[in-house]
Amino acid sequence: MVTVRGERWRVARITPHDDCRVVALTGAGPANAGESFAVLHPFDDLVPSRTFEQPRARPFREVLHRARAALTARTGWTTPRTRTVPGVTLLPWQAAPLAAILAGATRVLVADDVGLGKTLEAGLIAAELVARGLAHRVLVLAPAALRAQWADELASKLGLAARVLDHASILRDVAALPPGSNPWAASPLVISSIDLVKRPEVSASLDGVPIDLLIVDEAHHAAPRTDRGALVHALAARALWVVLVTATPHSGDAAAFRYLTDAGAVGPAEAPMAVVRRAAAAVAARPRRREHRVRVRPTREERALGAALDAYLARLTASAGAGDAVHLLDAVLRRRCASSAAALSRTLARRRQLLAGDAGAAPEPRPLPLPWDETDGGDDVEPDRVVGAAPLPHRAEETASLDRLLTLAARAGRRPSKIAALTARLARVAEPVVVFSEYRDTVEDLRARLTAQWRVAVVHGGMPEPVRRAAVASFTHGDAAVLVATDTAGEGLNLQRRCRLLVHFEPAWSPVRVEQRAGRLDRVGQHRAVHAVHLVRDGSIEDYVIARRAGRANHAAAAAVPGPAREPAVAETTAREMPPDSRIPIHVRTPATRAILVFEVGVVDGMGSLVAGDVVAVQVDLARPPRRRAALARVLSALAGAPPVLAVVDAGTRAALDRERRRAAACADGWLARLDAIATGSSHVAPTAVQPALFDRRAARAADRRDAARAAAAAYWRARRDQVAAIDAADPARPRLVAAWTLP
């Protein structure tokens, strides 16, 4: 307890810097109760308050309330210090990742099933490390469409204010901040898009910015031999804590899973990544998902189209051989044919134009991406090298074949069998439905055909993010009855309160996509059984796709992702919080023969931060108690500071607090090993070599800025090491009286 600027405050944490300390305070007086404040010491004087404040006579009920509040505030090293906002319930398994961090882990893979609250789990780690003063810079990387959702969930569930950085906000910050300031270092909690940060000109601006906690959402996208994977590995290698979030960590590719769990490893001696895995069936009490496979018989026109496509692809294979390009083109055309005639027609038209020499031509105009554009272009748009691969030797013959296929596709598109099967099921249900398709062209075709009977919302990768959010909002608010989407909407959406019916318009190659789609509906908060309908066209490549997907799912299940050995305990606060008071509440009655004194005891580290706290009650026999209440109150105040009483308190809590101190020290040792590796790496980087120009100093100034940033990062990590090392120097604090009363 300290007095600052004439008011009483409780010291929450102390953050050391080179020439000063930032002291975070919580109001403890009648005028500033519950307020948060921060001052710089020694520029502000902090006058320690007396350990035992003057007592204040209060009703017995209020005194017991204060004692109960102290009991429920008891904390150990592994007890969360943060609470969710009112109305948000933290479920038991959602504390497991935080428990791993507080046990000494530095890298955690949060791999709970879709819909179990992984965003809250990762956000709880950020809130806890910030509350303890251990994390000063947090970077969250998520798909572009999920940035706003992350910011909303952190604010609405944990009370964390985050800064969302996209290309527009970066430009605004550069213009508004002082020259030389870095937007990435201007906010303690930043959320950005992984596709923005992976751009070289953006990732370069993060080179000199230390990161305490790195959170990567949908981390399965950080695959080997990709820009996303390289970025995540580079940033994770210089972050103290790394949290990877994905519901589908293992897609059946063992090498990709190893690459994921190796992210952030800084040496062979480092402990392996901690994996937290929970299956929905094991922890969430909700109805089991029901899968339905519907066989769709193609029409006569669709069979004719399929036969002509088979003959065309056979000629391509005979001409070009069984190379990778032909295999890929074969799969693309067959899958699009099974999806819809519209999807096949667009690709055939693109191939015809590419073979005619119109490189980059498309059957319909689509907006070109602007610099720094983060809009998902759509994985369904195959590159020109695939669509234009392996042409036949006689271009005129191939052009005629493509024209014939386009004619057959137009005929098949008049009465598409899959859309007929879909509309028949939509007509039978009076509930909202989500329809997923892999192809944007199929989605647009569905929009055109379903709009006559139903209100339809559409989401795909070619739409700007605000338009996507508006479309999803129209569905969740009840303005639309059908949501048709590509896999752009397969991540991050929460549709469980609106919908329970899902249609896979065509089978997905990967079990990851199937789970991501179903997870939009089958998640915490869904109280009905989710029905997933898979439309499969007879005699098409889709039977092969299902078989391959089942094989990958079996391989992933065989290489089961491990989970923690036991569930962590979650502390529940049931007592009503009592407002801080400048005086200790006591209740005195006469005659009195004994007194109960309730003390707060704790262990604080070398920086003054609380490591663990407990509550001790001491009964004292009063041999000759005064008869007057005022005199009896003074006796209680004197007992609170009496050495014999304090000796009893110390003896009663020494064992429990020492156990918590050892836990904290063991955790700090694990963190220090990683901090040493990071600090060593940043301090031994050679200065930038540059050849200064005769009249132009820009290159030299840029090199000086990079070297200064590296030096500042090295100093930052040394200070952070001192802070973590202070946990090892934890010592018991002097007990503090919180309530007292007399008994007859």
Side-chain angles (χ1 to χ4, degrees):
M1 302 293 294
V2 295
T3 300
V4 179
R5 302 183 187 181
E7 293 185 300
R8 289 170 49 80
W9 303 84
R10 185 187 302 276
V11 176
R13 64 178 180 272
I14 301 174
T15 305
H17 295 275
D18 292 340
D19 300 317
C20 64
R21 297 186 296 172
V22 178
V23 183
L25 305 169
T26 302
N32 63 351
E35 294 182 9
S36 296
F37 189 50
V39 297
L40 288 177
H41 181 268
F43 304 104
D44 267 292
D45 289 330
L46 280 73
V47 180
S49 299
R50 287 183 297 172
T51 304
F52 301 104
E53 299 91 342
Q54 290 298 319
R56 178 189 182 196
R58 300 302 300 162
F60 194 38
R61 179 185 297 273
E62 182 176 328
V63 175
L64 292 182
H65 242 326
R66 179 64 65 86
R68 187 173 70 167
L71 283 169
T72 57
R74 290 182 300 177
T75 181
W77 171 253
T78 57
T79 304
R81 312 286 171 83
T82 56
R83 292 288 187 268
T84 56
V85 300
V88 178
T89 302
L90 181 65
L91 300 172
W93 69 84
Q94 293 172 337
L98 176 59
I101 291 290
L102 296 180
T106 55
R107 301 182 301 128
V108 178
L109 172 62
V110 183
D112 288 347
D113 276 356
V114 176
L116 294 187
K118 293 183 296 299
T119 302
L120 180 59
E121 295 176 41
L124 188 64
I125 293 175
E128 185 71 17
L129 294 177
V130 169
R132 294 184 183 224
L134 295 171
H136 305 289
R137 288 177 179 164
V138 181
L139 175 62
V140 179
L141 295 181
L146 304 184
R147 289 174 307 194
Q149 179 175 322
W150 263 90
D152 179 68
E153 290 210 22
L154 292 179
S156 62
K157 295 181 178 179
L158 294 166
L160 289 177
R163 171 80 166 141
V164 177
L165 283 185
D166 55 15
H167 65 278
S169 58
I170 290 175
L171 293 176
R172 287 195 301 269
D173 286 356
V174 169
L177 291 172
S181 299
N182 192 330
W184 298 97
S187 299
L189 176 53
V190 174
I191 301 173
S192 190
S193 161
I194 189 171
D195 289 323
L196 172 65
V197 179
K198 75 180 183 183
R199 299 182 64 90
E201 65 273 21
V202 180
S203 60
S205 63
L206 272 167
D207 283 345
V209 179
I211 302 171
D212 292 315
L213 171 61
L214 173 68
I215 299 176
V216 182
D217 192 18
E218 305 297 347
H220 55 272
H221 291 313
R225 299 177 299 278
T226 64
D227 292 341
R228 291 170 177 170
L231 171 71
V232 169
H233 273 247
L235 293 179
R238 57 187 183 89
L240 174 51
W241 293 283
V242 179
V243 178
L244 306 182
V245 180
T246 173
T248 50
H250 205 309
S251 63
D253 187 342
F257 180 70
R258 279 197 308 272
Y259 183 80
L260 185 67
T261 54
D262 285 344
V266 293
E270 187 174 18
M273 179 175 286
V275 179
V276 179
R277 176 71 169 169
R278 290 292 183 275
V283 298
R286 61 175 185 261
R288 187 176 180 180
R289 188 194 314 165
R290 298 178 182 176
E291 306 283 344
H292 310 273
R293 187 176 298 177
V294 177
R295 310 293 303 189
V296 179
R297 179 178 297 179
T299 64
R300 183 176 59 185
E301 291 81 3
E302 289 173 338
R303 288 196 297 270
L305 174 61
L309 182 63
D310 289 343
Y312 172 68
L313 293 174
R315 291 200 303 274
L316 286 183
T317 304
S319 173
D324 291 340
V326 176
H327 279 308
L328 186 55
L329 178 62
D330 184 287
V332 166
L333 294 179
R334 290 184 188 277
R335 294 201 67 203
R336 281 183 168 265
C337 180
S339 174
S340 69
L344 178 63
S345 295
R346 304 281 165 76
T347 304
L348 291 175
R350 276 185 63 205
R351 179 172 175 82
R352 189 184 188 285
Q353 292 177 345
L354 287 169
L355 296 181
D358 189 4
E364 62 179 9
R366 286 177 177 168
L368 294 175
L370 297 174
W372 284 16
D373 189 16
E374 299 171 78
T375 300
D376 298 325
D379 294 338
D380 62 315
V381 182
E382 296 84 5
D384 290 347
R385 70 178 188 279
V386 173
V387 178
L392 291 174
H394 302 289
R395 297 296 178 90
E397 177 187 348
E398 182 166 6
T399 300
S401 298
L402 291 172
D403 289 339
R404 181 170 180 271
L405 287 171
L406 287 169
T407 301
L408 292 174
R411 294 174 184 171
R414 295 171 186 168
R415 293 186 305 110
S417 57
K418 274 195 174 182
I419 294 182
L422 174 63
T423 54
R425 278 153 182 80
L426 292 178
R428 288 203 299 265
V429 299
E431 296 185 33
V433 179
V434 178
V435 182
F436 274 106
S437 174
E438 189 169 343
Y439 303 108
R440 188 192 312 177
D441 299 322
T442 299
V443 167
E444 292 292 354
D445 192 41
L446 285 170
R447 185 218 299 257
R449 295 176 185 273
L450 298 179
T451 303
Q453 294 179 265
W454 296 276
R455 298 188 306 276
V456 179
V458 168
V459 175
H460 59 65
M463 302 166 63
E465 187 178 339
V467 179
R468 296 187 214 173
R469 290 200 301 266
V472 174
S474 70
F475 179 73
T476 55
H477 296 160
D479 297 330
V482 180
L483 175 65
V484 184
T486 63
D487 288 294
T488 297
E491 297 172 341
L493 294 184
N494 303 323
L495 306 175
Q496 69 274 15
R497 302 190 187 281
R498 166 68 171 152
C499 182
R500 64 168 180 159
L501 301 180
L502 166 68
V503 176
H504 300 273
F505 199 75
E506 62 273 317
W509 275 109
S510 170
V512 171
R513 285 199 174 184
V514 174
E515 287 302 312
Q516 290 289 346
R517 292 175 178 180
R520 302 312 100 215
L521 285 65
D522 190 9
R523 56 195 304 113
V524 172
Q526 176 64 264
H527 302 296
R528 301 176 294 173
V530 172
H531 293 262
V533 178
H534 301 259
L535 299 181
V536 182
R537 177 179 289 178
D538 281 337
S540 70
I541 193 178
E542 292 183 342
D543 288 318
Y544 172 74
V545 170
I546 292 174
R548 284 291 302 272
R549 187 181 70 205
R552 295 182 67 181
N554 292 336
H555 186 69
V561 179
R566 58 185 177 86
E567 295 285 354
V570 180
E572 297 283 349
T573 300
T574 56
R576 184 167 56 90
E577 291 287 338
M578 295 296 295
D581 199 305
S582 60
R583 288 179 291 179
I584 301 167
I586 67 170
H587 180 73
V588 178
R589 70 175 88 180
T590 56
T593 61
R594 52 199 169 127
I596 305 295
L597 292 86
V598 180
F599 291 88
E600 283 183 345
V601 294
V603 174
V604 295
D605 64 20
M607 297 295 181
S609 298
L610 181 68
V611 171
D614 206 343
V615 176
V616 178
V618 178
Q619 177 176 299
V620 179
D621 293 331
L622 303 175
R624 295 179 179 178
R627 296 183 177 226
R628 298 175 61 90
R629 292 192 177 186
L632 190 55
R634 288 194 293 272
V635 169
L636 290 184
S637 180
L639 285 173
V645 174
L646 297 181
V648 173
V649 173
D650 290 340
T653 59
R654 188 177 299 117
L657 291 179
D658 190 57
R659 183 172 59 250
E660 295 299 324
R661 185 189 61 78
R662 290 196 301 270
R663 285 182 180 175
C667 180
D669 289 342
W671 295 349
L672 283 173
R674 183 171 178 84
L675 265 173
D676 286 339
I678 295 174
T680 301
S682 61
S683 61
H684 287 80
V685 176
T688 305
V690 62
Q691 176 65 48
L694 184 60
F695 300 105
D696 191 347
R697 294 283 303 166
R698 285 180 296 181
R701 286 194 294 267
D704 291 342
R705 286 194 298 269
R706 288 193 295 271
D707 292 340
R710 292 192 184 101
Y716 179 88
W717 289 122
R718 286 194 295 270
R720 302 290 286 107
R721 191 196 187 286
D722 293 341
Q723 185 179 8
V724 174
I727 298 174
D728 272 333
D731 289 314
R734 189 175 183 186
R736 173 177 172 270
L737 183 68
V738 294
W741 61 90
T742 61
L743 296 173

